[in-house]
Amino acid sequence: MTISTALEPNPTISDPRLLPAAVAAYLGRYRGQSRMHTDSDLKVFLRWSADQPLDSFAATRVDVERYVRRLQDVRCYQPSTVSRRLSVVIGFYRVCVIDQILAHSPADYVRRPPVPPESPTLGLSHLQFEAMITAARLSANSNDFALVAMLGLLGLRIFGACGTNIADLGEEHGHRVLRVRGKCGKAVLVPRPPAVARAIDRAVNERDDGPILRNAHSARMDRHAATRRLKHLAETAELRIPKMHPHMQRHTFVTTMLDAGVSLRDAQIAARHADPRTTIRYDRARKNLDRHPNYILAAFMASGT
């Protein structure tokens, strides 16, 4: 469902076709999952504007500030969520200025909420992750092992994992690979280590086409079904985690990789992060003194000390 069909035209806008056209022009800059998430975040702002009621094209900086305050004080969202939704609003109005719908953007000077350098989401510890993998491998549901392997051992986002098909499996230069579509619809080849390959082969079970991950009705698994399976596995593994969700596995992927001695640059590439600071925020054990570089330097200079 698009914004143009989800929202009733605002009677204060002279041309009711102007808002859907502006939204389409803005969303046209995105593809794939990025477009879907941007569409969803923009809907929140436009619905809030319609409820005021407020003409979206007559909004002022104060109006956008009030929207930010609602996200913070009423909805109690995390600063990163508020910052992301504000970025969508800023981008929308910026495109409106470019397309000469507005003379200036009301969101240009809105104060961004400070985002802490550390992510509030924590991944699993090494022992917890091992218990999760064991519970998935022993599960009677063949999709469980593949789900945990794709999220925790390949570092896929939940939409990427659920969107994979059997046709995306292949070989490249002697490596068994999986073609994954990431943000903006970009396709990348991800190598499948033996454990992951076994998990996926078990889920595919000699099928020739269709999705790799399926739900209880043999249809494509979505993020809601995946979350339920992960919660069930966490309970089976007796993990005391208050809120298990798919993205926690991606945090685990980054932390475990760095714990294993992988460089930050290689971990960034594996996680497909554009900025290494994002990779650092994902690292659950970033303050772990066991892997402090001082020990590496001292070992390197051991002959002289």
Side-chain angles (χ1 to χ4, degrees):
M1 181 183 297
T2 62
I3 294 177
S4 58
T5 58
L7 295 176
E8 293 295 331
N10 193 322
T12 61
I13 299 177
S14 56
D15 188 348
R17 298 171 298 178
L18 187 58
L19 179 58
V23 169
Y26 175 54
L27 295 179
R29 296 177 168 230
Y30 298 92
R31 294 181 297 171
Q33 298 296 330
S34 295
R35 181 188 178 101
M36 184 180 68
H37 293 313
T38 303
D39 187 5
S40 176
D41 286 342
L42 188 54
K43 280 180 182 177
V44 176
F45 173 71
L46 296 181
R47 283 174 175 159
W48 174 83
S49 299
D51 290 342
Q52 293 308 301
L54 172 68
D55 183 345
S56 301
F57 295 126
T60 64
R61 180 193 59 79
V62 174
D63 294 320
V64 181
E65 291 271 12
R66 287 196 299 118
Y67 170 68
V68 172
R69 285 284 181 266
R70 179 179 182 275
L71 297 179
Q72 292 175 317
D73 301 337
V74 178
R75 302 307 301 270
C76 299
Y77 287 135
Q78 294 287 345
S80 57
T81 302
V82 177
S83 179
R84 187 193 74 235
R85 291 193 168 176
L86 176 58
S87 295
V88 169
V89 175
I90 292 173
F92 171 68
Y93 280 123
R94 189 170 296 156
V95 171
C96 289
V97 172
I98 293 173
D99 293 341
Q100 298 183 349
I101 297 175
L102 296 175
H104 66 277
S105 168
D108 274 349
Y109 299 102
V110 175
R111 294 167 292 180
R112 289 179 178 268
V115 178
E118 299 182 358
S119 172
T121 300
L122 295 179
L124 304 177
S125 67
H126 182 73
L127 293 178
Q128 287 176 326
F129 189 32
E130 280 191 346
M132 192 80 171
I133 292 176
T134 300
R137 181 168 48 82
L138 299 177
S139 172
N141 188 331
S142 61
N143 294 280
D144 288 346
F145 192 17
L147 174 64
V148 173
M150 293 169 75
L151 296 180
L153 295 178
L154 296 186
L156 303 188
R157 297 176 176 88
I158 186 58
F159 291 101
C162 292
T164 54
N165 299 309
I166 296 175
D168 296 321
L169 301 173
E171 292 189 9
E172 187 79 15
H173 302 298
H175 296 272
R176 302 181 72 179
V177 297
L178 173 65
R179 184 178 298 275
V180 180
R181 292 163 187 81
K183 290 184 176 180
C184 299
K186 296 179 180 178
V188 294
L189 291 179
V190 179
R192 290 179 286 150
V196 179
R198 289 195 300 269
I200 292 178
D201 290 344
R202 178 180 169 186
V204 170
N205 192 24
E206 299 183 356
R207 288 183 289 124
D208 295 327
D209 56 11
I212 294 177
L213 297 175
R214 300 187 297 174
N215 59 24
H217 304 287
S218 297
R220 183 182 299 277
M221 181 182 291
D222 59 15
R223 63 186 179 90
H224 302 291
T227 301
R228 289 193 295 269
R229 294 311 305 167
L230 291 174
K231 288 181 178 179
H232 172 75
L233 291 172
E235 293 174 359
T236 303
E238 298 182 351
L239 302 182
R240 299 183 180 276
I241 299 176
K243 188 177 180 181
M244 169 63 72
H245 55 86
H247 206 61
M248 187 179 293
Q249 302 295 312
R250 186 163 163 81
H251 283 257
T252 303
F253 169 76
V254 172
T255 299
T256 306
M257 185 173 290
L258 294 174
D259 282 342
V262 177
S263 68
L264 176 63
R265 174 59 177 167
D266 288 341
Q268 176 194 348
I269 294 173
R272 297 172 296 283
H273 287 151
D275 192 325
R277 289 174 295 183
T278 306
T279 311
I280 294 174
R281 293 189 74 240
Y282 274 53
D283 182 13
R284 181 181 192 272
R286 52 192 159 265
K287 295 182 180 179
N288 186 357
L289 295 180
D290 291 339
R291 67 181 194 212
H292 197 282
N294 286 359
Y295 291 117
I296 300 176
L297 176 60
F300 181 75
M301 298 300 298
S303 60
T305 56

